[in-house]
């Protein structure tokens, strides 16, 4: 297992539309273990997508239980070739991203979604998610299509904010 370096905006790989995973082989499973370890190495990180570490495959890891506030969630999910089946409602919320460590933004996302995906054990998952967890899934899903939250904000002037406290402060 290894913690992988996270690519930062404007790395062109972050703009790539990722390829579906064709086969769940050893290499893919090893990569997933590294992706999970990379997420867990970042305190408070609730999601990561394969292209953020330079692998343009349709794999995301989400874990809304790691957020600052307790919210309804399904715990850690590794979603391979995820599909958003439907979305409904609309809520504005603040988002951050490991690839844009110094920014946050107000982004409109669906309030509720249904999604399905393959899982690392070769099974299939079909679930609904709402609010914060839905936002995390949609944010990570966007990475697979080369989209960052900056592509979703209504106004770069009024909806994007400098983040002061993302990196650990020096004592
Ligand atoms: Ni992100």
């Amino acid at each position: 297992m290894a913690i992988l370096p996270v690519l930062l905006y404007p790395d062109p790989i972050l703009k790539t539309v990722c390829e579906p995973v064709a086969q769940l082989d050893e290499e893919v499973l090893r990569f997933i273990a590294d992706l999970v370890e990379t997420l867990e190495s970042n305190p408070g990180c609730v999601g990561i997508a394969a292209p953020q570490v330079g692998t343009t495959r349709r794999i995301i890891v989400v874990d809304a239980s790691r957020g600052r506030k307790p919210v309804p969630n399904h715990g850690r999910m590794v979603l391979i070739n995820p599909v958003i089946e439907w979305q409904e409602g609309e809520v504005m919320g603040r988002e951050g991203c490991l690839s844009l460590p110094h920014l946050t933004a107000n982004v409109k996302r669906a309030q509720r979604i249904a999604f399905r995906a393959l899982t690392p054990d070769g099974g299939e998952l079909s679930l609904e998610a709402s609010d914060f967890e839905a936002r995390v899934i949609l944010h990570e899903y966007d990475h697979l299509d080369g989209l960052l939250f900056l592509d979703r904000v209504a106004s770069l002037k009024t909806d994007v904010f400098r983040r002061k406290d993302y990196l650990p402060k020096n004592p």
Side-chain angles (χ1 to χ4, degrees):
M1 300 245 289
I3 295 170
L4 306 168
V6 174
L7 302 180
L8 299 179
Y9 174 84
D11 193 298
I13 289 178
L14 296 170
K15 300 258 75 177
T16 308
V17 176
C18 299
E19 295 289 329
V21 175
Q23 207 183 343
L24 269 181
D25 55 21
E26 274 301 306
E27 189 195 337
V28 171
L29 293 175
R30 251 200 315 274
F31 169 73
I32 287 171
D34 290 346
L35 192 62
V36 168
E37 192 178 355
T38 304
L39 178 146
E40 289 182 344
S41 73
N42 288 279
C45 180
V46 290
I48 192 166
Q52 289 183 279
V53 294
T55 297
T56 54
R57 294 296 189 78
R58 300 188 80 83
I59 302 171
I60 62 177
V61 183
V62 300
D63 188 348
S65 76
R66 303 181 87 240
R68 247 176 278 177
K69 292 179 206 156
V71 293
N73 70 84
H74 294 92
R76 187 171 74 209
M77 293 186 284
V78 176
L79 305 179
I80 301 159
N81 300 345
V83 175
I84 308 297
E85 304 217 76
W86 51 256
Q87 319 189 23
E88 65 179 32
E90 196 176 62
V91 269
M92 183 77 96
R94 194 65 78 89
E95 294 186 15
C97 181
L98 288 178
S99 297
L100 292 153
H102 305 299
L103 298 177
T104 64
N106 287 330
V107 183
K108 274 185 193 163
R109 301 276 186 190
Q111 189 267 327
R112 189 162 186 82
I113 64 170
F115 63 97
R116 65 185 156 85
L118 302 176
T119 54
D121 59 7
E124 233 181 282
L125 198 76
S126 181
L127 286 171
E128 293 183 14
S130 58
D131 298 298
F132 181 71
E133 187 179 47
R135 174 174 300 279
V136 174
I137 293 166
L138 292 171
H139 174 116
E140 301 311 330
Y141 182 88
D142 267 357
H143 277 296
L144 305 182
D145 287 334
L147 296 171
L148 299 171
F149 68 58
L150 291 179
D151 299 304
R152 294 281 186 196
V153 297
S155 161
L156 289 174
K157 271 191 189 146
T158 59
D159 291 325
V160 181
F161 309 91
R162 289 225 147 252
R163 164 130 77 176
K164 297 180 194 81
D165 61 351
Y166 189 82
L167 299 169
K169 290 192 181 83
N170 292 324

mmCIF file with all atom_site columns, all heavy atoms in Angstrom, residues 106-121:
data_model
loop_
_atom_site.group_PDB
_atom_site.id
_atom_site.type_symbol
_atom_site.label_atom_id
_atom_site.label_alt_id
_atom_site.label_comp_id
_atom_site.label_asym_id
_atom_site.label_entity_id
_atom_site.label_seq_id
_atom_site.pdbx_PDB_ins_code
_atom_site.Cartn_x
_atom_site.Cartn_y
_atom_site.Cartn_z
_atom_site.occupancy
_atom_site.B_iso_or_equiv
_atom_site.pdbx_formal_charge
_atom_site.auth_seq_id
_atom_site.auth_comp_id
_atom_site.auth_asym_id
_atom_site.auth_atom_id
_atom_site.pdbx_PDB_model_num
ATOM 1   N N   . ASN A 1 106 ? -19.210 27.759 -3.236  1.00 0.00 ? 106 ASN A N   1
ATOM 2   C CA  . ASN A 1 106 ? -20.621 27.408 -3.121  1.00 0.00 ? 106 ASN A CA  1
ATOM 3   C C   . ASN A 1 106 ? -21.060 26.769 -4.437  1.00 0.00 ? 106 ASN A C   1
ATOM 4   O O   . ASN A 1 106 ? -20.923 27.373 -5.503  1.00 0.00 ? 106 ASN A O   1
ATOM 5   C CB  . ASN A 1 106 ? -21.462 28.657 -2.882  1.00 0.00 ? 106 ASN A CB  1
ATOM 6   C CG  . ASN A 1 106 ? -21.280 29.185 -1.467  1.00 0.00 ? 106 ASN A CG  1
ATOM 7   O OD1 . ASN A 1 106 ? -21.021 28.408 -0.542  1.00 0.00 ? 106 ASN A OD1 1
ATOM 8   N ND2 . ASN A 1 106 ? -21.418 30.481 -1.295  1.00 0.00 ? 106 ASN A ND2 1
ATOM 9   N N   . VAL A 1 107 ? -21.564 25.541 -4.336  1.00 0.00 ? 107 VAL A N   1
ATOM 10  C CA  . VAL A 1 107 ? -21.940 24.786 -5.535  1.00 0.00 ? 107 VAL A CA  1
ATOM 11  C C   . VAL A 1 107 ? -23.349 24.231 -5.351  1.00 0.00 ? 107 VAL A C   1
ATOM 12  O O   . VAL A 1 107 ? -23.674 23.701 -4.284  1.00 0.00 ? 107 VAL A O   1
ATOM 13  C CB  . VAL A 1 107 ? -20.956 23.614 -5.776  1.00 0.00 ? 107 VAL A CB  1
ATOM 14  C CG1 . VAL A 1 107 ? -21.298 22.884 -7.068  1.00 0.00 ? 107 VAL A CG1 1
ATOM 15  C CG2 . VAL A 1 107 ? -19.513 24.114 -5.809  1.00 0.00 ? 107 VAL A CG2 1
ATOM 16  N N   . LYS A 1 108 ? -24.175 24.369 -6.380  1.00 0.00 ? 108 LYS A N   1
ATOM 17  C CA  . LYS A 1 108 ? -25.508 23.763 -6.350  1.00 0.00 ? 108 LYS A CA  1
ATOM 18  C C   . LYS A 1 108 ? -25.412 22.306 -6.779  1.00 0.00 ? 108 LYS A C   1
ATOM 19  O O   . LYS A 1 108 ? -24.811 21.996 -7.805  1.00 0.00 ? 108 LYS A O   1
ATOM 20  C CB  . LYS A 1 108 ? -26.445 24.499 -7.322  1.00 0.00 ? 108 LYS A CB  1
ATOM 21  C CG  . LYS A 1 108 ? -27.121 25.703 -6.729  1.00 0.00 ? 108 LYS A CG  1
ATOM 22  C CD  . LYS A 1 108 ? -28.109 26.291 -7.716  1.00 0.00 ? 108 LYS A CD  1
ATOM 23  C CE  . LYS A 1 108 ? -28.545 27.670 -7.252  1.00 0.00 ? 108 LYS A CE  1
ATOM 24  N NZ  . LYS A 1 108 ? -29.168 28.422 -8.348  1.00 0.00 ? 108 LYS A NZ  1
ATOM 25  N N   . ARG A 1 109 ? -25.997 21.428 -5.970  1.00 0.00 ? 109 ARG A N   1
ATOM 26  C CA  . ARG A 1 109 ? -26.043 19.998 -6.300  1.00 0.00 ? 109 ARG A CA  1
ATOM 27  C C   . ARG A 1 109 ? -27.435 19.485 -6.008  1.00 0.00 ? 109 ARG A C   1
ATOM 28  O O   . ARG A 1 109 ? -28.200 20.096 -5.250  1.00 0.00 ? 109 ARG A O   1
ATOM 29  C CB  . ARG A 1 109 ? -25.072 19.207 -5.429  1.00 0.00 ? 109 ARG A CB  1
ATOM 30  C CG  . ARG A 1 109 ? -23.620 19.594 -5.503  1.00 0.00 ? 109 ARG A CG  1
ATOM 31  C CD  . ARG A 1 109 ? -22.909 18.950 -6.660  1.00 0.00 ? 109 ARG A CD  1
ATOM 32  N NE  . ARG A 1 109 ? -21.473 19.234 -6.610  1.00 0.00 ? 109 ARG A NE  1
ATOM 33  C CZ  . ARG A 1 109 ? -20.632 18.959 -7.599  1.00 0.00 ? 109 ARG A CZ  1
ATOM 34  N NH1 . ARG A 1 109 ? -21.071 18.396 -8.718  1.00 0.00 ? 109 ARG A NH1 1
ATOM 35  N NH2 . ARG A 1 109 ? -19.359 19.245 -7.484  1.00 0.00 ? 109 ARG A NH2 1
ATOM 36  N N   . ALA A 1 110 ? -27.742 18.313 -6.553  1.00 0.00 ? 110 ALA A N   1
ATOM 37  C CA  . ALA A 1 110 ? -29.017 17.663 -6.262  1.00 0.00 ? 110 ALA A CA  1
ATOM 38  C C   . ALA A 1 110 ? -29.097 17.353 -4.765  1.00 0.00 ? 110 ALA A C   1
ATOM 39  O O   . ALA A 1 110 ? -28.097 17.069 -4.113  1.00 0.00 ? 110 ALA A O   1
ATOM 40  C CB  . ALA A 1 110 ? -29.143 16.380 -7.065  1.00 0.00 ? 110 ALA A CB  1
ATOM 41  N N   . GLN A 1 111 ? -30.316 17.394 -4.232  1.00 0.00 ? 111 GLN A N   1
ATOM 42  C CA  . GLN A 1 111 ? -30.521 17.084 -2.817  1.00 0.00 ? 111 GLN A CA  1
ATOM 43  C C   . GLN A 1 111 ? -30.521 15.564 -2.586  1.00 0.00 ? 111 GLN A C   1
ATOM 44  O O   . GLN A 1 111 ? -30.101 15.079 -1.550  1.00 0.00 ? 111 GLN A O   1
ATOM 45  C CB  . GLN A 1 111 ? -31.854 17.702 -2.340  1.00 0.00 ? 111 GLN A CB  1
ATOM 46  C CG  . GLN A 1 111 ? -32.074 17.641 -0.837  1.00 0.00 ? 111 GLN A CG  1
ATOM 47  C CD  . GLN A 1 111 ? -32.859 16.404 -0.411  1.00 0.00 ? 111 GLN A CD  1
ATOM 48  O OE1 . GLN A 1 111 ? -33.730 15.937 -1.142  1.00 0.00 ? 111 GLN A OE1 1
ATOM 49  N NE2 . GLN A 1 111 ? -32.553 15.866 0.755   1.00 0.00 ? 111 GLN A NE2 1
ATOM 50  N N   . ARG A 1 112 ? -30.990 14.849 -3.621  1.00 0.00 ? 112 ARG A N   1
ATOM 51  C CA  . ARG A 1 112 ? -31.100 13.393 -3.477  1.00 0.00 ? 112 ARG A CA  1
ATOM 52  C C   . ARG A 1 112 ? -30.720 12.730 -4.793  1.00 0.00 ? 112 ARG A C   1
ATOM 53  O O   . ARG A 1 112 ? -31.074 13.236 -5.864  1.00 0.00 ? 112 ARG A O   1
ATOM 54  C CB  . ARG A 1 112 ? -32.538 13.052 -3.092  1.00 0.00 ? 112 ARG A CB  1
ATOM 55  C CG  . ARG A 1 112 ? -32.754 11.633 -2.712  1.00 0.00 ? 112 ARG A CG  1
ATOM 56  C CD  . ARG A 1 112 ? -34.054 11.423 -1.932  1.00 0.00 ? 112 ARG A CD  1
ATOM 57  N NE  . ARG A 1 112 ? -34.095 10.040 -1.488  1.00 0.00 ? 112 ARG A NE  1
ATOM 58  C CZ  . ARG A 1 112 ? -33.469 9.588  -0.400  1.00 0.00 ? 112 ARG A CZ  1
ATOM 59  N NH1 . ARG A 1 112 ? -32.810 10.407 0.366   1.00 0.00 ? 112 ARG A NH1 1
ATOM 60  N NH2 . ARG A 1 112 ? -33.522 8.314  -0.077  1.00 0.00 ? 112 ARG A NH2 1
ATOM 61  N N   . ILE A 1 113 ? -30.021 11.617 -4.706  1.00 0.00 ? 113 ILE A N   1
ATOM 62  C CA  . ILE A 1 113 ? -29.619 10.902 -5.922  1.00 0.00 ? 113 ILE A CA  1
ATOM 63  C C   . ILE A 1 113 ? -29.796 9.398  -5.729  1.00 0.00 ? 113 ILE A C   1
ATOM 64  O O   . ILE A 1 113 ? -29.860 8.905  -4.600  1.00 0.00 ? 113 ILE A O   1
ATOM 65  C CB  . ILE A 1 113 ? -28.135 11.162 -6.289  1.00 0.00 ? 113 ILE A CB  1
ATOM 66  C CG1 . ILE A 1 113 ? -27.191 10.621 -5.207  1.00 0.00 ? 113 ILE A CG1 1
ATOM 67  C CG2 . ILE A 1 113 ? -27.880 12.644 -6.519  1.00 0.00 ? 113 ILE A CG2 1
ATOM 68  C CD1 . ILE A 1 113 ? -25.707 10.633 -5.604  1.00 0.00 ? 113 ILE A CD1 1
ATOM 69  N N   . ALA A 1 114 ? -29.878 8.684  -6.841  1.00 0.00 ? 114 ALA A N   1
ATOM 70  C CA  . ALA A 1 114 ? -29.722 7.238  -6.830  1.00 0.00 ? 114 ALA A CA  1
ATOM 71  C C   . ALA A 1 114 ? -28.523 6.934  -7.713  1.00 0.00 ? 114 ALA A C   1
ATOM 72  O O   . ALA A 1 114 ? -28.319 7.584  -8.743  1.00 0.00 ? 114 ALA A O   1
ATOM 73  C CB  . ALA A 1 114 ? -30.970 6.541  -7.360  1.00 0.00 ? 114 ALA A CB  1
ATOM 74  N N   . PHE A 1 115 ? -27.741 5.965  -7.280  1.00 0.00 ? 115 PHE A N   1
ATOM 75  C CA  . PHE A 1 115 ? -26.546 5.613  -8.052  1.00 0.00 ? 115 PHE A CA  1
ATOM 76  C C   . PHE A 1 115 ? -26.321 4.117  -7.976  1.00 0.00 ? 115 PHE A C   1
ATOM 77  O O   . PHE A 1 115 ? -26.841 3.435  -7.087  1.00 0.00 ? 115 PHE A O   1
ATOM 78  C CB  . PHE A 1 115 ? -25.314 6.370  -7.506  1.00 0.00 ? 115 PHE A CB  1
ATOM 79  C CG  . PHE A 1 115 ? -24.965 6.017  -6.080  1.00 0.00 ? 115 PHE A CG  1
ATOM 80  C CD1 . PHE A 1 115 ? -23.988 5.067  -5.803  1.00 0.00 ? 115 PHE A CD1 1
ATOM 81  C CD2 . PHE A 1 115 ? -25.626 6.618  -5.019  1.00 0.00 ? 115 PHE A CD2 1
ATOM 82  C CE1 . PHE A 1 115 ? -23.670 4.726  -4.494  1.00 0.00 ? 115 PHE A CE1 1
ATOM 83  C CE2 . PHE A 1 115 ? -25.310 6.281  -3.703  1.00 0.00 ? 115 PHE A CE2 1
ATOM 84  C CZ  . PHE A 1 115 ? -24.344 5.344  -3.446  1.00 0.00 ? 115 PHE A CZ  1
ATOM 85  N N   . ARG A 1 116 ? -25.576 3.624  -8.958  1.00 0.00 ? 116 ARG A N   1
ATOM 86  C CA  . ARG A 1 116 ? -25.140 2.234  -8.881  1.00 0.00 ? 116 ARG A CA  1
ATOM 87  C C   . ARG A 1 116 ? -23.685 2.166  -9.302  1.00 0.00 ? 116 ARG A C   1
ATOM 88  O O   . ARG A 1 116 ? -23.185 3.072  -9.984  1.00 0.00 ? 116 ARG A O   1
ATOM 89  C CB  . ARG A 1 116 ? -26.028 1.329  -9.736  1.00 0.00 ? 116 ARG A CB  1
ATOM 90  C CG  . ARG A 1 116 ? -25.975 1.585  -11.198 1.00 0.00 ? 116 ARG A CG  1
ATOM 91  C CD  . ARG A 1 116 ? -26.993 0.706  -11.926 1.00 0.00 ? 116 ARG A CD  1
ATOM 92  N NE  . ARG A 1 116 ? -27.355 1.311  -13.196 1.00 0.00 ? 116 ARG A NE  1
ATOM 93  C CZ  . ARG A 1 116 ? -26.662 1.154  -14.315 1.00 0.00 ? 116 ARG A CZ  1
ATOM 94  N NH1 . ARG A 1 116 ? -25.583 0.398  -14.327 1.00 0.00 ? 116 ARG A NH1 1
ATOM 95  N NH2 . ARG A 1 116 ? -27.035 1.757  -15.428 1.00 0.00 ? 116 ARG A NH2 1
ATOM 96  N N   . ALA A 1 117 ? -23.025 1.098  -8.906  1.00 0.00 ? 117 ALA A N   1
ATOM 97  C CA  . ALA A 1 117 ? -21.595 0.962  -9.207  1.00 0.00 ? 117 ALA A CA  1
ATOM 98  C C   . ALA A 1 117 ? -21.189 -0.475 -8.956  1.00 0.00 ? 117 ALA A C   1
ATOM 99  O O   . ALA A 1 117 ? -21.886 -1.226 -8.274  1.00 0.00 ? 117 ALA A O   1
ATOM 100 C CB  . ALA A 1 117 ? -20.779 1.890  -8.311  1.00 0.00 ? 117 ALA A CB  1
ATOM 101 N N   . LEU A 1 118 ? -20.043 -0.832 -9.514  1.00 0.00 ? 118 LEU A N   1
ATOM 102 C CA  . LEU A 1 118 ? -19.416 -2.097 -9.156  1.00 0.00 ? 118 LEU A CA  1
ATOM 103 C C   . LEU A 1 118 ? -18.596 -1.873 -7.897  1.00 0.00 ? 118 LEU A C   1
ATOM 104 O O   . LEU A 1 118 ? -18.120 -0.764 -7.643  1.00 0.00 ? 118 LEU A O   1
ATOM 105 C CB  . LEU A 1 118 ? -18.503 -2.575 -10.284 1.00 0.00 ? 118 LEU A CB  1
ATOM 106 C CG  . LEU A 1 118 ? -19.176 -2.760 -11.643 1.00 0.00 ? 118 LEU A CG  1
ATOM 107 C CD1 . LEU A 1 118 ? -18.137 -3.135 -12.702 1.00 0.00 ? 118 LEU A CD1 1
ATOM 108 C CD2 . LEU A 1 118 ? -20.267 -3.826 -11.555 1.00 0.00 ? 118 LEU A CD2 1
ATOM 109 N N   . THR A 1 119 ? -18.417 -2.951 -7.124  1.00 0.00 ? 119 THR A N   1
ATOM 110 C CA  . THR A 1 119 ? -17.633 -2.856 -5.894  1.00 0.00 ? 119 THR A CA  1
ATOM 111 C C   . THR A 1 119 ? -16.371 -3.722 -6.041  1.00 0.00 ? 119 THR A C   1
ATOM 112 O O   . THR A 1 119 ? -16.335 -4.615 -6.901  1.00 0.00 ? 119 THR A O   1
ATOM 113 C CB  . THR A 1 119 ? -18.465 -3.326 -4.684  1.00 0.00 ? 119 THR A CB  1
ATOM 114 O OG1 . THR A 1 119 ? -18.968 -4.636 -4.950  1.00 0.00 ? 119 THR A OG1 1
ATOM 115 C CG2 . THR A 1 119 ? -19.628 -2.386 -4.426  1.00 0.00 ? 119 THR A CG2 1
ATOM 116 N N   . PRO A 1 120 ? -15.353 -3.476 -5.208  1.00 0.00 ? 120 PRO A N   1
ATOM 117 C CA  . PRO A 1 120 ? -14.079 -4.202 -5.375  1.00 0.00 ? 120 PRO A CA  1
ATOM 118 C C   . PRO A 1 120 ? -14.214 -5.720 -5.215  1.00 0.00 ? 120 PRO A C   1
ATOM 119 O O   . PRO A 1 120 ? -13.385 -6.459 -5.737  1.00 0.00 ? 120 PRO A O   1
ATOM 120 C CB  . PRO A 1 120 ? -13.190 -3.627 -4.267  1.00 0.00 ? 120 PRO A CB  1
ATOM 121 C CG  . PRO A 1 120 ? -13.780 -2.302 -3.952  1.00 0.00 ? 120 PRO A CG  1
ATOM 122 C CD  . PRO A 1 120 ? -15.247 -2.415 -4.189  1.00 0.00 ? 120 PRO A CD  1
ATOM 123 N N   . ASP A 1 121 ? -15.257 -6.188 -4.510  1.00 0.00 ? 121 ASP A N   1
ATOM 124 C CA  . ASP A 1 121 ? -15.423 -7.642 -4.360  1.00 0.00 ? 121 ASP A CA  1
ATOM 125 C C   . ASP A 1 121 ? -16.134 -8.263 -5.553  1.00 0.00 ? 121 ASP A C   1
ATOM 126 O O   . ASP A 1 121 ? -16.498 -9.444 -5.535  1.00 0.00 ? 121 ASP A O   1
ATOM 127 C CB  . ASP A 1 121 ? -16.173 -7.960 -3.061  1.00 0.00 ? 121 ASP A CB  1
ATOM 128 C CG  . ASP A 1 121 ? -17.551 -7.314 -3.004  1.00 0.00 ? 121 ASP A CG  1
ATOM 129 O OD1 . ASP A 1 121 ? -17.979 -6.734 -4.027  1.00 0.00 ? 121 ASP A OD1 1
ATOM 130 O OD2 . ASP A 1 121 ? -18.195 -7.377 -1.942  1.00 0.00 ? 121 ASP A OD2 1
#
